[in-house]
Amino acid sequence: MSAPVRTTNDLRLGLLRQPGTVLFGPGQRHHLARLLPAYGGRALFCTDERMAADPVYRELVAGVEEAGTKVTTYAKVEPDLPRQNLEAVARAHDGDEFDVVVAVGGGSVLDFAKVAAILLAQGGDVAALYGENVVPAAGLPLVTLPTTGGTGAEATCISVVYDDERSMKVGIASAWLEAAATIIDPEFTLTCPPSLTTATAADALTHLVEAFTARAKNPTSADLDAHLYAGKNLLADTWARQGLRLVRDAFPRMAADPADLGARSDTMLAAFSAGLAINTAGTAAAHAIQSPIGALTHSAHGLGVGALLPYVLRFNLPTRIEELAEVADLIGVAPAGGSAEAAAHAAVEGIESLLATIGCPLDLAALGLRPEHVEQVADQAMLATRLTANNPRELERADVVRILERGIAGDRSWWT
C-alpha cells in the first residue's frame, strides 16, 4: 500500500479556463436568438431524440430562426457518446457549411458537440484526437446550453467518448474544445427525470470534492503548455468552494420539492462552478475507477462516481485532512471545537449524507458490481493515467482493489 504524501500548491498558482460568454438564469435560453447572429447565419444544433421532440426545444429553434439564423438539427446523440455518433455526424454533414455549433442537452450531447465542432472544421478521424492536447487547432465556434444540473460539460474542455473497439471510454482533452459561449437556464432541469436528477447532482458533488482535494502539482511554464490540468490551484478552489456552499442547502430542497426552481438554480450553478474547477484541477480516482465499472454494469456515470466517493475519500483522507476539514465548514457539518481530523471525518460523513439525500447509492453492489469484477476493473482503472495523476494520494493497483472491495461490501468504517 502506498504511503500517504501530502502535496501543496507552493507556487500559489491560479489557473482558469472558461467560455468567453456565460449567461446564467431562469429563462435566459431565449437570449440565444440574439447571441447567434454574431457568429454567422448557419447553425448546426446538436441534441438527442427526446429533447428534439420537446416543445421547449422546438420553441427555442423557432425563436432562433425567426431572428434570422438558419438551423439544421442533428438529433441522434446517444447516452455515453459512442464513437459512431461522431463518425455519423461527420458523414452526414460532409461538405456542409456551418458558422456555429449549438449544443442543447446533457453531458453526452455537450461532449458530442465539442468534438463535432472540431471534425466539421478540420475533418479527420475521431480516434486521432484521443488524449491530452492532441487537437491541432480550433473548430467551429460552440455555444452550449446544458439541460441537466450536474456534468459541468458546458464549461469544460474535455469530451469523453466510448470506443467499442477498445471497450472503454476515452478522453479528448484540449483547450480548443472550450465553448465560445454558454447559456445556463435552470428551467431546463425542471423536466429532468428523477433518476437523471440524482445522477447529475451526484456527478457535480463529486467534481467539487475531487477538484478541491486534487493533487497540487506546482507546474512549470513548460508543464502548463504541455498539460491541460494544473492540479489543485487558487482559482479552481474558489469555484469549488462556491459550489460546495450551494449544494449544502440546494440538495435537500431539491429532494423535498423537485419543482423548486430556486433549488434547481442553485444546483445548476454549483454544477457550473464544478465544471470550472475541474477544468484546470481535473478529476481523480473516483472518475478513473468509475469508467470500467460503468462499462461492466451499464450504470449511470454520476451514480458510479457518487457511490465510489465515500471509499475514495477514506483512502485519500491522510493527505487531505486540512482540505476536508474546510469542506466540513463549507457544507455546515464542522464539529464545534473539534480537531482537524474530526472535522475531516465529519466532512466525509456530510458528503455521504448529501449523496443519500438525492438518492445516490452508497455502495458498489447497488450498481451491479460483483467481487469477480474487481481484478478487471482495477486493471482498467490504472490505464486512466490522466485521472490517477490528479489523485492527491499515490494510487497503486492494490489500492484500487482495496477501494473496490470495501465499496462492494459497503464498508464505510474508518481506514487505518
Side-chain angles (χ1 to χ4, degrees):
M1 183 177 65
S2 59
V5 177
R6 178 171 171 79
T7 62
T8 58
N9 181 11
D10 298 322
L11 290 177
R12 302 289 292 165
L13 173 74
L15 179 62
L16 186 64
R17 297 188 189 91
Q18 66 177 35
T21 298
V22 178
L23 184 60
F24 180 94
Q28 294 304 320
R29 65 187 181 277
H30 299 298
H31 187 72
L32 181 65
R34 295 178 178 272
L35 181 70
L36 288 182
Y39 300 104
R42 300 161 299 182
L44 176 67
F45 275 48
C46 303
T47 191
D48 55 31
E49 290 183 354
R50 183 191 73 83
M51 179 54 65
D54 192 307
V56 172
Y57 177 81
R58 291 201 289 263
E59 179 190 21
L60 183 70
V61 171
V64 168
E65 291 182 322
E66 189 175 317
T69 298
K70 180 182 178 182
V71 174
T72 301
T73 292
Y74 186 88
K76 298 180 181 179
V77 184
E78 299 174 87
D80 294 323
L81 186 47
R83 172 182 170 178
Q84 289 86 345
N85 282 186
L86 290 160
E87 294 169 342
V89 74
R91 286 194 304 270
H93 295 291
D94 183 27
D96 293 347
E97 293 188 3
F98 299 105
D99 300 306
V100 62
V101 174
V102 179
V104 184
S108 291
V109 169
L110 302 179
D111 281 3
F112 170 90
K114 294 174 196 175
V115 183
I118 299 294
L119 294 175
L120 292 171
Q122 300 178 16
D125 180 56
V126 177
L129 304 177
Y130 293 166
E132 187 177 18
N133 285 348
V134 176
V135 177
L140 295 173
L142 172 67
V143 179
T144 54
L145 285 82
T147 59
T148 63
T151 69
E154 68 275 8
T156 61
C157 42
I158 180 170
S159 291
V160 180
V161 179
Y162 181 75
D163 190 317
D164 59 357
E165 292 181 7
R166 306 186 185 200
S167 298
M168 64 185 296
K169 290 183 177 181
V170 186
I172 299 174
S174 168
W176 291 120
L177 269 62
E178 191 69 75
T182 185
I183 299 176
I184 306 167
D185 187 340
E187 289 181 355
F188 273 125
T189 67
L190 291 172
T191 57
C192 278
S195 60
L196 183 59
T197 294
T198 295
T200 53
D203 196 22
L205 178 56
T206 306
H207 288 164
L208 292 166
V209 174
E210 286 209 302
F212 195 66
T213 60
R215 175 180 292 269
K217 299 179 179 179
N218 296 300
T220 64
S221 180
D223 291 333
L224 290 175
D225 187 56
H227 299 290
L228 203 64
Y229 299 124
K232 180 177 173 63
N233 67 84
L234 297 179
L235 294 176
D237 284 355
T238 297
W239 286 99
R241 287 186 181 101
Q242 169 170 279
L244 287 165
R245 290 188 192 100
L246 286 166
V247 300
R248 174 182 62 196
D249 298 320
F251 279 14
R253 288 162 46 215
M254 185 172 65
D257 180 8
D260 183 337
L261 183 58
R264 290 281 191 175
S265 297
D266 285 350
T267 297
M268 209 167 193
L269 185 55
F272 172 69
S273 300
L276 291 182
I278 64 172
N279 215 17
T280 57
T283 54
H287 279 71
I289 301 171
Q290 184 281 327
S291 183
I293 292 175
L296 271 171
T297 65
H298 304 289
S299 53
H301 168 80
L303 298 184
V305 293
L308 277 160
L309 193 57
Y311 308 96
V312 169
L313 287 177
R314 281 168 170 75
F315 173 74
N316 286 338
L317 191 144
T319 66
R320 283 295 179 259
I321 288 175
E322 291 179 20
E323 287 77 9
L324 286 169
E326 185 175 351
V327 169
D329 185 59
L330 291 167
I331 63 173
V333 297
S339 65
E341 186 171 356
H345 283 210
V348 176
E349 291 172 339
I351 289 164
E352 291 169 357
S353 178
L354 286 170
L355 289 167
T357 295
I358 57 174
C360 182
L362 296 179
D363 66 83
L364 303 183
L367 304 178
L369 194 71
R370 300 192 298 273
E372 57 265 32
H373 296 146
V374 167
E375 300 298 325
Q376 179 185 348
V377 171
D379 285 340
Q380 291 186 332
M382 294 307 295
L383 298 176
T385 54
R386 174 179 57 84
L387 303 178
T388 58
N390 295 327
N391 204 60
R393 185 174 178 183
E394 196 71 30
L395 191 69
E396 299 175 358
R397 186 184 182 281
D399 302 320
V400 177
V401 169
R402 187 183 185 204
I403 289 167
L404 291 167
E405 289 175 343
R406 296 266 189 158
I408 292 171
D411 178 3
R412 299 200 302 278
S413 60
W414 295 108
W415 301 11
T416 57

